[in-house]
């Protein structure tokens, strides 16, 4: 009887160890949840201040305090190439489902500017189910914004619903965005190639010396554009 109990305990211990080893990759991948779908009727003031009218979309409700706290707790090791060490983002999709994306921080600010605005962070990643589907998103006190490039569905956008609230976002296919009827592009698309570049009449296979260059960018916009996009560039 004593030997039977001892053997049972050993078998139980082995099973527990195996389960822990299998579950370790899952536990090492923190999941940040963007929000949940909701059918809650929006207040009139939100509808009046709607950003970028869209014909068809799904409404999602966010807890920005929880999201910001989750991102502050993340410990992303940029030196690691292991997928199980990357966090995952649970993203609501326009068809009412959720997709998951591995992501990493991808700052676009100069270090001095980032130090001045530490609450504004940008990230990039790819889908767990299809690595060809890419995402870029930003998290700040102004809310959550994202753009997804999907092989199956084209471009998917997640934007705040209103300029005066970060609680509600809409997720939609970009082709459902309403086009402004009075918009007119005044850029002249015509140009003439320099003969010294064309040479014998054929374009060269490469231009330049193929060296990677990194530039500092100063970005500005008009007051009208900033007002349309919630007061930001």
């Amino acid at each position: 009887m004593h030997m039977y109990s001892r053997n049972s305990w050993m078998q139980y211990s082995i099973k527990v160890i195996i389960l822990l080893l299998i579950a370790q990759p899952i536990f090492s991948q923190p999941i940040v949840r963007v929000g949940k779908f909701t059918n809650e009727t929006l207040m009139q003031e939100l509808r009046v201040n709607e950003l970028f009218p869209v014909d068809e979309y799904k409404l999602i409700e966010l807890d920005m305090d929880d999201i910001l706290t989750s991102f502050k707790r993340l410990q992303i090791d940029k030196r690691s190439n292991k997928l199980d060490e990357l966090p995952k983002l649970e993203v609501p999709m326009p068809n009412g489902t959720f997709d998951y994306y591995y992501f990493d921080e991808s700052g676009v600010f100069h270090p001095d500017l980032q130090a001045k605005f530490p609450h504004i962070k940008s990230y990039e990643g790819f889908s767990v189910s299809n690595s060809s589907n890419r995402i870029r998103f930003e998290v700040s006190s102004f809310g959550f914004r994202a753009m997804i490039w999907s092989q199956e569905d084209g471009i998917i956008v997640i934007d705040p619903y209103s300029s005066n609230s970060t609680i509600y976002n809409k997720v939609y296919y970009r082709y459902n965005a309403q086009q402004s009827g009075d918009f007119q592009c005044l850029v002249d698309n015509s140009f003439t190639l320099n003969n010294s570049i064309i040479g014998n009449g054929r374009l060269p296979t490469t231009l330049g010396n193929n060296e990677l260059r990194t530039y500092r960018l100063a970005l500005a916009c008009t007051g009208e554009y900033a007002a349309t996009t919630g007061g930001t560039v």
Side-chain angles (χ1 to χ4, degrees):
M1 184 68 178
H2 177 72
M3 289 298 295
Y4 177 79
S5 299
R6 183 178 180 182
N7 290 337
S8 299
W9 174 252
M10 290 180 64
Q11 291 176 2
Y12 173 78
S13 300
I14 292 173
K15 290 179 180 178
V16 170
I17 293 173
I18 293 175
L19 288 173
L20 288 174
L21 290 174
I22 294 174
Q24 184 178 1
I26 299 175
F27 294 147
S28 62
Q29 297 175 356
I31 298 178
V32 179
R33 291 174 170 82
V34 171
K36 60 183 180 180
F37 293 105
T38 179
N39 293 319
E40 185 173 336
T41 303
L42 294 180
M43 296 179 293
Q44 182 62 33
E45 54 264 30
L46 285 180
R47 290 195 293 269
V48 170
N49 295 289
E50 181 182 2
L51 292 171
F52 309 117
V54 180
D55 292 327
E56 185 177 343
Y57 61 89
K58 283 288 191 298
L59 185 67
I60 56 178
E61 183 178 352
L62 290 74
D63 185 340
M64 283 306 303
D65 290 336
D66 183 64
I67 292 175
L68 291 172
T69 300
S70 297
F71 275 94
K72 287 180 180 178
R73 291 175 178 172
L74 290 178
Q75 299 293 331
I76 302 177
D77 186 358
K78 290 184 172 294
R79 298 169 299 179
S80 175
N81 294 321
K82 297 179 181 179
L83 288 181
D84 60 354
E85 294 182 2
L86 287 177
K88 288 195 296 185
L89 188 72
E90 182 187 73
V91 183
M93 305 300 284
N95 59 5
T97 64
F98 291 90
D99 198 5
Y100 294 86
Y101 286 78
Y102 292 115
F103 70 91
D104 195 359
E105 188 173 339
S106 178
V108 295
F109 283 178
H110 184 275
D112 295 342
L113 189 61
Q114 184 66 75
K116 187 176 180 179
F117 300 99
H119 60 286
I120 301 177
K121 293 288 185 70
S122 59
Y123 303 83
E124 64 179 344
F126 57 92
S127 173
V128 173
S129 58
N130 185 349
S131 60
S132 297
N133 294 348
R134 318 294 291 189
I135 186 173
R136 288 197 70 99
F137 62 96
E138 67 176 42
V139 179
S140 73
S141 56
F142 297 105
F144 177 91
R145 289 178 170 84
M147 184 172 288
I148 298 171
W149 290 264
S150 168
Q151 280 191 328
E152 303 86 0
D153 302 310
I155 296 178
I156 297 170
V157 182
I158 302 178
D159 274 331
Y161 183 92
S162 168
S163 60
N164 57 359
S165 174
T166 60
I167 299 177
Y168 296 103
N169 272 35
K170 51 189 175 186
V171 52
Y172 58 93
Y173 301 111
R174 192 172 70 169
Y175 56 73
N176 282 326
Q178 296 179 13
Q179 301 295 324
S180 176
D182 58 354
F183 176 79
Q184 183 180 6
C185 180
L186 301 177
V187 175
D188 184 3
N189 291 323
S190 63
F191 65 94
T192 303
L193 287 175
N194 191 311
N195 289 332
S196 63
I197 298 179
I198 298 177
N200 58 5
R202 293 181 298 178
L203 288 174
T205 56
T206 61
L207 295 176
N209 56 8
N210 295 327
E211 289 186 2
L212 177 64
R213 295 174 172 84
T214 302
Y215 296 92
R216 295 181 63 183
L217 172 67
L219 183 63
C221 70
T222 63
E224 292 80 4
Y225 181 88
T228 303
T229 56
T232 65
V233 177

